[in-house]
Amino acid sequence: MKAVILLSGGLDSSTVLYQAKADGCECYAISFDYKQRHRRELESARAIALSAAVKAHQIVNFDLTLWGGSALTDNEMELPIDRNLAEMSQNIPITYVPARNTIFLSFALAYAETLEADRIYIGVNALDYSGYPDCRLDYIQAMQEVFRLGTKQGREGNAINIITPLIELKKTEIIQLGNQLGVPWEQTWSCYAGGENACGVCDSCRLRLAAFEELGLKDPVPYA
């Protein structure tokens, strides 16, 4: 099987890449430089792609700072920091990037069809406290129908399937799965702040650190 894997370089997407390898797929990774605040993640995406020995790794460039609308694409918007998990779960946060996964999946679909791939893997998670609308099961089901209707491959009865191994896992369960698969956590990157070291206080860092702590493990990524 050929598979395209959306790879940000973060904890979730890295686990998904290693899961695709474990599933026996020939893996093609795709990452996105959309001028995000935390472009540091692309260094990790390259490192993870190399460590997983993918067949190819594409980095697609475009600029979502033209529109902003998110603390990740507009530097005048402040990142939420020092929030507890209950606060994170109350509303869709300002780190939500409008339609980001729809954009990412569209690029991945175009790439996958040129490869005559069978699958696209994406590390969305519906249980994450962030509650992004484009990480939920009903969204993925709708996009699967788009994949079927909007491609030659789909219309000919061989639709590319969206695989979401993490969608119903807690962050602790994702780490446990990654440990089983041998994901090199020290090469991954989750921080939104964009510094050389992870900030430790943005929502993404807080979620990650809380999960490692709950498991009694030390996160090997350096924190400021």
Side-chain angles (χ1 to χ4, degrees), residues 39-52:
R39 291 175 70 222
R40 161 65 180 80
E41 67 180 358
L42 293 171
E43 294 178 26
S44 288
R46 293 185 185 95
I48 292 293
L50 186 63
S51 72

Side-chain angles (χ1 to χ4, degrees), residues 2-3 17 25-29 49 52-57 111 115:
K2 288 183 181 179
L17 172 56
C25 295
E26 182 178 87
C27 295
Y28 296 78
V54 300
K55 187 76 173 178
H57 180 209
Y111 185 32
L115 296 170

Side-chain angles (χ1 to χ4, degrees), residues 5 17 20 22 28 31 44 49 58 75 77 82-84 93 98-99 104 117 148-149 153 163 165 196 211 223:
I5 295 89
L17 172 56
Y28 296 78
S31 304
S44 288
Q58 301 283 339
N75 287 330
M77 297 175 67
D82 289 323
R83 300 203 303 168
N84 61 43
F104 288 0
R148 185 181 72 82
L149 295 175
Q153 201 166 317
I163 309 298
E196 282 303 310
Y223 284 85

Side-chain angles (χ1 to χ4, degrees), residues 185-204:
W185 300 127
E186 70 280 0
Q187 294 181 3
T188 64
W189 188 262
S190 301
C191 181
Y192 287 153
E196 282 303 310
N197 290 328
C199 72
V201 293
C202 71
D203 287 359
S204 187

Side-chain angles (χ1 to χ4, degrees), residues 5-96:
I5 295 89
L6 276 75
L7 179 66
S8 70
L11 185 151
D12 295 346
S13 70
S14 299
T15 302
V16 164
L17 172 56
Y18 272 74
Q19 181 63 65
K21 282 174 57 70
D23 291 343
C25 295
E26 182 178 87
C27 295
Y28 296 78
I30 187 168
S31 304
F32 301 97
D33 181 351
Y34 55 100
K35 305 301 181 282
Q36 61 270 43
R37 182 194 295 258
H38 56 305
R39 291 175 70 222
R40 161 65 180 80
E41 67 180 358
L42 293 171
E43 294 178 26
S44 288
R46 293 185 185 95
I48 292 293
L50 186 63
S51 72
V54 300
K55 187 76 173 178
H57 180 209
Q58 301 283 339
I59 298 180
V60 180
N61 292 274
F62 53 97
D63 189 357
L64 290 183
T65 66
L66 293 171
W67 305 322
S70 166
L72 301 187
T73 55
D74 184 345
N75 287 330
E76 293 185 7
M77 297 175 67
E78 291 189 8
L79 282 174
I81 61 171
D82 289 323
R83 300 203 303 168
N84 61 43
L85 303 189
E87 287 177 294
M88 293 182 206
S89 65
Q90 289 177 358
N91 299 293
I92 297 171
I94 62 172
T95 50
Y96 161 67

Side-chain angles (χ1 to χ4, degrees), residues 6 36 58 67 81 103 105 110 118-119 123 125 130 147 154-155 158 161 165 171 190 205-206 211 213 218 221:
L6 276 75
Q36 61 270 43
Q58 301 283 339
W67 305 322
I81 61 171
I103 296 167
L105 282 169
D118 306 280
R119 299 176 167 192
N125 177 249
S130 60
F147 278 28
R155 291 289 186 173
N158 188 30
N161 291 314
K171 191 68 75 178
S190 301
C205 282
R206 293 293 296 268
E213 184 178 354
K218 178 176 172 53
V221 167

